[in-house]
Amino acid sequence: MRQLLSKRKVYTRLFLFYCFIALVGLISNSLLLALLIFTVALLLWHYHHLFLMDKWLWRDRKLSPPISEGIWGHLFEGIYYLQRRDRRKRRELRNVVRRFRDGAEALPEAVVVLRDDWSIIWSNKLAQILVGLHWPADEGLRLDNLIRHPDFLNYLHAAQFDIPIELPSPVNDQLTLEFNIMPYGIEQYLLIVRDVTQLKQLEQIRKDFVANVSHELRTPLTVLQGYLEVMDDENLPDKLMWKKAHNVMLDQTKRMDALVQQLLTLSRIEASARVHFDDAVDVPAMLHKLEQEAQALNRDKQHNLTFDIDAELKVTGVTEELRSAFSNLVINAIKYTQNGGDIQISWQRQHKKAVFAVNDNGPGIAPQHVKRLTERFYRVDEARARNTGGTGLGLAIVKHVLSRHNSRLMIFSEPGKGSSFSFTLPPELVLGNTAKRSSKKAAN
C-alpha cells in the first residue's frame, strides 16, 4: 500500500529549510536577502515541476512519469499509479464489451440496444441483414425513424411488450420477422429480431397437409357413401348399374389405398434413423424390372421409352427407398407426357458419381410451379392430376429419399419443351471404378 503524503513532515522540512537560510543570513548580515532568494528559488522549483507535469500529461507520449524527488516525485508517482489503474480498468471494460459483442454476433437473432428514447446504442451485423440497420453509422438515430412500418410504430409507442409482433422485413418482404422488446439495464431496451419465415412456412405446410389429406380422403369416401346409400336389401341395382358402381367404388378404394400407402412411406422415411450405407443396391437389375413395369403402364400411352443403363453401376443405400425414387420419377413421366411422347431414362457414371435422369418432351412446367413440385399434395393441374390418379406425394417422397442419400432432385422444365428430372449420388456411395455401358434398349 502506498504511503500518504504527510503534512507534518512537509511543514517540518520547510520550517527547517527556512531556519537554516535565516541562520546563514544572520551570519552574513543579509537575512532578508537570503530569505527572498530562497523563496524565489522555491517558487521557481515548484513552477519547473508544474511545467514538467503539464508536458507529461498533455504533450509527452511517454507513459512513465518525470524523475523527481520530494513532494513532486510523490505526486508524479500517484498520478502514474492512477493512470495505470485507469488503463487496467478500461482494458477490462473493453474485454467485457468485446465479449458481449462477440456473444451478440454469435446469436442467430438480430440484437439492437436502445435508450429509453428509442435511439440506437449498438446493433449486431445480423440487424443489418434482417432489418437494414448499420452500426456505427446509425448510432444515436431513433429506431422509429428507421423502421417506418405503421404496426411497428404503434407497437413501439404503446410500450406493451408482453407479446412480440410479426412483420415483414424492411429489406426483404419475403421474410417474416418477429420483433421482441424487453427492458435492459438502466433506462435501456433490448430489441431482438428473429427470422420466423421458415417456421411460418412449416406451419402453413402443416395446415395445408391436414386440409389436403382431409380433402383427398373425403372425395372417394363421398363416392362410396353415395353408392352404398342407394343400395339396400329391398332396392338392389340392376346388373348394368351394379357393374358401373362396382368399378367406381373399386377405383376410389384403390385411390385411397395408394394415398395411405404413400403417406405411410413418407412417414416411415421421415421417422427412420440415418441411412447405413453398407448394403449394396443392384440398380441395373432394379431398373430392368422397372422397365418391364413401365412398358405395361405404357400400353395405352404408346410412348417411345428409352432406357440407357450402365450394367455395372451399383451403389450403396436403402434398396426400397431408392426403388421408390426411381419408380416415382419414371411413372410421373409416363403419366404426364401426352400420348406418343419420347421419354429417355438414363443411369450412368459421371466423374465417379452416379447420375439418374428422366427426360421427356411433355407439356413442361411453368417456373413458378417448379420450385414447389416437391411439396406434399402440390399439383400444377388439379384436374389432370386427378385424372391420372396422382396423389401429390410422389415427388415429396423422392425429395426425402434423396436427402437421406446425400443428394437432391434437380428439375429443369420449360412450357412446351418438356421436362428433366435428375439426381446425382456422391462418389462415396458408388461401388467400383469401372463402367461398362449396356446397349440402349428401346420399347414402344
Side-chain angles (χ1 to χ4, degrees):
M1 184 176 179
R2 293 182 177 273
Q3 294 182 353
L4 297 177
L5 190 64
S6 174
K7 293 182 181 180
R8 192 173 193 180
K9 288 184 178 181
V10 172
Y11 288 139
T12 300
R13 183 178 298 178
L14 184 62
F15 176 74
L16 291 175
F17 270 120
Y18 266 103
C19 288
F20 175 75
I21 294 300
L23 180 62
V24 172
L26 289 175
I27 294 174
S28 60
N29 295 322
S30 54
L31 175 62
L32 294 177
L33 181 61
L35 291 175
L36 179 62
I37 293 174
F38 177 73
T39 301
V40 172
L42 185 63
L43 287 173
L44 292 175
W45 183 76
H46 280 298
Y47 273 104
H48 171 68
H49 284 85
L50 280 174
F51 291 136
L52 285 178
M53 179 183 288
D54 177 76
K55 180 182 178 182
W56 175 48
L57 293 178
W58 301 106
R59 288 175 288 174
D60 202 343
R61 296 184 178 181
K62 294 189 299 182
L63 297 178
S64 57
I67 299 175
S68 181
E69 300 292 337
I71 298 174
W72 286 100
H74 190 85
L75 290 176
F76 288 152
E77 287 294 330
I79 295 174
Y80 179 61
Y81 170 76
L82 293 176
Q83 285 182 334
R84 285 192 304 171
R85 187 177 65 179
D86 181 64
R87 284 195 297 270
R88 184 174 63 253
K89 288 185 176 180
R90 283 188 294 175
R91 185 166 56 250
E92 292 174 355
L93 181 60
R94 282 196 300 268
N95 290 334
V96 171
V97 173
R98 185 172 62 251
R99 286 196 296 270
F100 165 77
R101 290 182 177 176
D102 291 342
E105 293 291 356
L107 291 174
E109 296 93 7
V111 178
V112 185
V113 182
L114 303 166
R115 296 185 180 90
D116 56 355
D117 62 351
W118 309 125
S119 58
I120 297 174
I121 298 176
W122 180 83
S123 63
N124 63 357
K125 292 181 181 178
L126 197 57
Q128 175 179 346
I129 299 173
L130 295 181
V131 190
L133 302 180
H134 299 79
W135 190 87
D138 292 339
E139 183 179 5
L141 300 181
R142 289 176 59 92
L143 183 66
D144 50 359
N145 290 332
L146 299 176
I147 303 178
R148 302 296 300 171
H149 195 285
D151 292 342
F152 179 76
L153 296 179
N154 294 335
Y155 176 73
L156 197 65
H157 296 153
Q160 300 294 329
F161 304 134
D162 297 335
I163 301 176
I165 185 174
E166 293 181 0
L167 299 170
S169 170
V171 295
N172 184 356
D173 57 7
Q174 300 298 319
L175 300 179
T176 302
L177 306 181
E178 180 186 82
F179 293 79
N180 194 2
I181 299 178
M182 61 192 70
Y184 173 74
I186 301 175
E187 297 182 347
Q188 293 181 356
Y189 288 92
L190 192 67
L191 170 63
I192 298 179
V193 184
R194 298 173 56 208
D195 183 0
V196 295
T197 306
Q198 188 174 11
L199 293 177
K200 300 296 287 185
Q201 291 175 346
L202 291 175
E203 178 65 17
Q204 187 61 43
I205 290 173
R206 185 190 66 82
K207 293 179 179 178
D208 293 342
F209 175 74
V210 174
N212 286 326
V213 168
S214 302
H215 180 71
E216 292 293 335
L217 292 176
R218 185 186 298 116
T219 301
L221 286 174
T222 301
V223 174
L224 291 175
Q225 182 180 359
Y227 278 111
L228 291 174
E229 285 178 350
V230 298
M231 297 180 186
D232 52 42
D233 294 338
E234 298 178 357
N235 188 23
L236 292 175
D238 56 30
K239 288 187 176 181
L240 185 61
M241 180 64 181
W242 168 249
K243 182 178 181 181
K244 178 181 178 182
H246 177 268
N247 291 335
V248 172
M249 288 191 292
L250 183 61
D251 289 341
Q252 296 300 325
T253 304
K254 290 180 179 179
R255 179 179 171 186
M256 282 194 297
D257 181 67
L259 176 62
V260 171
Q261 290 299 326
Q262 289 205 322
L263 284 172
L264 290 175
T265 300
L266 191 57
S267 178
R268 184 175 63 253
I269 293 173
E270 291 179 336
S272 59
R274 290 185 59 85
V275 179
H276 297 286
F277 302 111
D278 298 329
D279 299 332
V281 181
D282 190 349
V283 177
M286 182 188 299
L287 291 178
H288 284 307
K289 185 176 180 180
L290 179 59
E291 179 182 2
Q292 297 173 3
E293 296 173 358
Q295 290 175 354
L297 184 64
N298 187 43
R299 287 171 184 165
D300 295 332
K301 289 279 192 172
Q302 292 297 306
H303 295 311
N304 180 29
L305 299 180
T306 303
F307 282 75
D308 187 9
I309 303 170
D310 187 330
E312 296 187 359
L313 181 54
K314 302 178 182 180
V315 297
T316 59
V318 182
T319 303
E320 291 302 321
E321 293 184 6
L322 289 176
R323 179 185 290 114
S324 177
F326 293 133
S327 176
N328 273 300
L329 293 179
V330 174
I331 291 175
N332 277 355
I334 295 174
K335 284 183 177 180
Y336 298 116
T337 301
Q338 64 273 17
N339 293 353
D342 293 323
I343 300 175
Q344 294 88 34
I345 296 94
S346 172
W347 171 250
Q348 295 295 323
R349 186 189 303 267
Q350 291 183 5
H351 306 292
K352 298 183 179 181
K353 300 178 181 179
V355 180
F356 180 75
V358 178
N359 301 299
D360 64 63
N361 63 345
I365 306 167
Q368 66 269 21
H369 297 299
V370 171
K371 59 183 180 182
R372 300 191 59 189
L373 285 178
T374 55
E375 294 181 13
R376 301 177 187 183
F377 295 108
Y378 184 81
R379 295 185 176 96
V380 176
D381 187 338
E382 289 282 345
R384 187 182 67 167
R386 296 190 189 281
N387 292 335
T388 57
T391 63
L393 293 173
L395 293 182
I397 293 174
V398 174
K399 175 185 175 181
H400 283 78
V401 168
L402 297 182
S403 177
R404 284 164 51 80
H405 288 78
N406 300 332
S407 182
R408 63 191 183 98
L409 182 63
M410 303 296 293
I411 305 174
F412 300 95
S413 184
E414 187 175 347
K417 296 186 178 180
S419 305
S420 173
F421 293 80
S422 64
F423 62 85
T424 301
L425 296 180
E428 57 267 23
L429 300 186
V430 179
L431 296 175
N433 296 318
T434 60
K436 295 181 180 180
R437 299 182 56 180
S438 67
S439 60
K440 291 186 178 181
K441 298 181 180 181
N444 294 326

